[in-house]
Each structure stands twice: as structure tokens, then as C-alpha cells.
Amino acid sequence: MVVALVSLMACNKETSDMENQDSIKLIKENPLTYRLPSPRLESDMSAEEVMKKRRSHRHFVSKSIDASDVSQVLWAAYGITQKANHKQLRGGFRTAPSAGALYPLELYLLVDKVNEIEPGVYRYLADGHQIQQTIDHNVKLELSAAALNQKMIHEAPACLFYSAIYERTTEKYGSRGENRYVCMDLGHSAQNVYLQVEALHMGTCAIGAFSDDKVREVMQLPAKEEPLYIMPFGHYYNKREF
Ligand SMILES: Cc1cc2nc3c(=O)[nH]c(=O)nc-3n(C[C@H](O)[C@H](O)[C@H](O)COP(=O)(O)O)c2cc1C
């Protein structure tokens, strides 16, 4: 009972430390790991305004964004909103729903121009709201080439990348997991990204057109991860497209 109480207090302390963190913190040099600032839960736009305004943006200005912006976007995509100890949940329930709460998605952040974060590729660790470096230099130009030369990937100051570990879902749901649920999970998460980015007065575009093999190579993906989406984001300018 006492042990349970002490560990509960420790857990609450950790939660409150994270809640109170308003700046980015370097927590490990190798691999380079940062704890991101806590997400803000208020915005100057209503959910309805954001949905009305949402559009895909493909032209980004060469202006740095803040660590608090990438923190917000990663949290909206797959952040933990309710801690839970069950192993399968990998930390807890998220901002996006997931079939069977199996959370098959893996998220990466490609950093080019983000204040206080070294350029490179980072895996998002939702438990603890951290990013951990997997590649120590900017690969957005190579990723752009692997995605039919869609220049917006190269131009944006930062980019989200989604992969999925299908077996997390197919072990339980078989072919239905493969044909439907993983991509449904992806859609929920990516829509959160669209709406969050809009609320930050920035823009993004979901990109599904790319060479799986080339993207896999550029991102140095583990064999069990399937590449699914690329979402560059940042401040944009409007250019008439249609
Ligand atoms: C599954 C999927 C894949 C997409 N892939 C690309 C892409 O590779 N390149 C691109 O410029 N836009 C891509 N888009 C964005 C669509 O072109 C865009 O959503 C559509 O034109 C409607 O415009 P809106 O998002 O501004 O409403 C994709 C969207 C979805 C849902």
C-alpha cells in the first residue's frame, strides 16, 4: 500500500514536471534526445474556425519555427492525453483514436530550421513527450527526391513522417487490420495535424505519392515499418493552384 502510494506520488510528480515545462530541454547527448515543451491547451481559434480554414498548403517561406510549434504538432498527432500502464498502450491513450487502442503508427520529425533543435531526423517518443535522433543531418532534400520531387518537402522548415508497424494491429484484426484499420488510424492522426497546424497559423499538406523503397532508404526505416505519409509544415504563402 505504502509502495503503491509512493510510486503514485512519483508518477504524479513526473506528470506535473512535464505539465510545467515551458521550454525545450536537452536530456541526452547520445542519441541526441530532447524533452519537448508541454503542449498548450488554448488557442485563438475555435475548432469550427480551424475546420473552415483548413486547406493543403504547398509553398513554404524560409522562416524558422519554434520548438513549441513542433511540440504542439507532435502532441496533436499522437500525444498521450491519458496515462495508462497497460503495455500495449505504450504509455496511454492518445489525441487520435486507434482500433483496439493498438497504436500502430510511428512518427518522425525532420528538422531543418527549428529554433533550439539540431537539424536531423528524430523519432517521437510519446511517453515523456520526447524526440530522439535517428539521423544526424537534414535529409529533406533526399526525401523530396524520393517523393516525385515534391519541392514543398525540401522548402518547409520541418516535416512530419508517418510509418506503421502493421503487426501491432494485424495480430488482433488480421486482414481487416491491414486493409482498413491502420490507414483509418493514420487518417485520424493526420487530420489532427492539419487542424493543429492551421490553429498555429501555419500550413501543411498530406503527401502519399512517393517511392516506398527510396523513402525507406532515406529514412533508414527498420524493416518492420511501412512508410505511409509525409507532412511538411511551416509558414506558407498562397499561390493560386487551380
Ligand atoms: C491520401 C492522400 C494523399 C495525398 N497525397 C498528396 C501528394 O502526394 N501531393 C500533394 O500535393 N497533395 C496530396 N494530397 C492532398 C490532396 O491533394 C488535397 O487534400 C486535395 O487536393 C484537397 O485539397 P484540400 O486538402 O486543400 O482540401 C493527398 C491527400 C490525401 C488524403
Side-chain angles (χ1 to χ4, degrees), residues 66-104:
D66 289 334
S68 61
D69 296 325
V70 300
S71 163
Q72 205 66 35
V73 171
L74 284 164
W75 175 81
Y78 229 32
I80 291 173
T81 48
Q82 189 183 332
K83 278 187 164 270
N85 282 332
H86 196 294
K87 193 169 162 247
Q88 161 202 308
L89 293 167
R90 279 175 286 280
F93 293 95
R94 312 292 177 101
T95 48
S98 172
L102 292 165
Y103 303 109

Side-chain angles (χ1 to χ4, degrees), residues 45 53 55 57 60 63-66 69-70 73 157 194-204 233-236:
M45 268 200 253
K53 203 165 169 273
R55 201 80 292 141
H57 293 282
F60 296 98
K63 180 177 162 191
S64 296
I65 58 174
D66 289 334
D69 296 325
V70 300
V73 171
Y194 261 110
L195 299 178
Q196 176 65 81
V197 165
E198 203 70 61
L200 293 169
H201 305 277
M202 296 194 286
T204 187
F233 63 97
H235 297 281
Y236 63 89

Side-chain angles (χ1 to χ4, degrees), residues 54-58 150 152 194 205-209 229 242:
R54 187 211 63 81
R55 201 80 292 141
S56 292
H57 293 282
R58 298 181 177 83
Q150 299 194 66
M152 57 180 140
Y194 261 110
C205 180
I207 296 179
Y229 247 168
F242 293 103

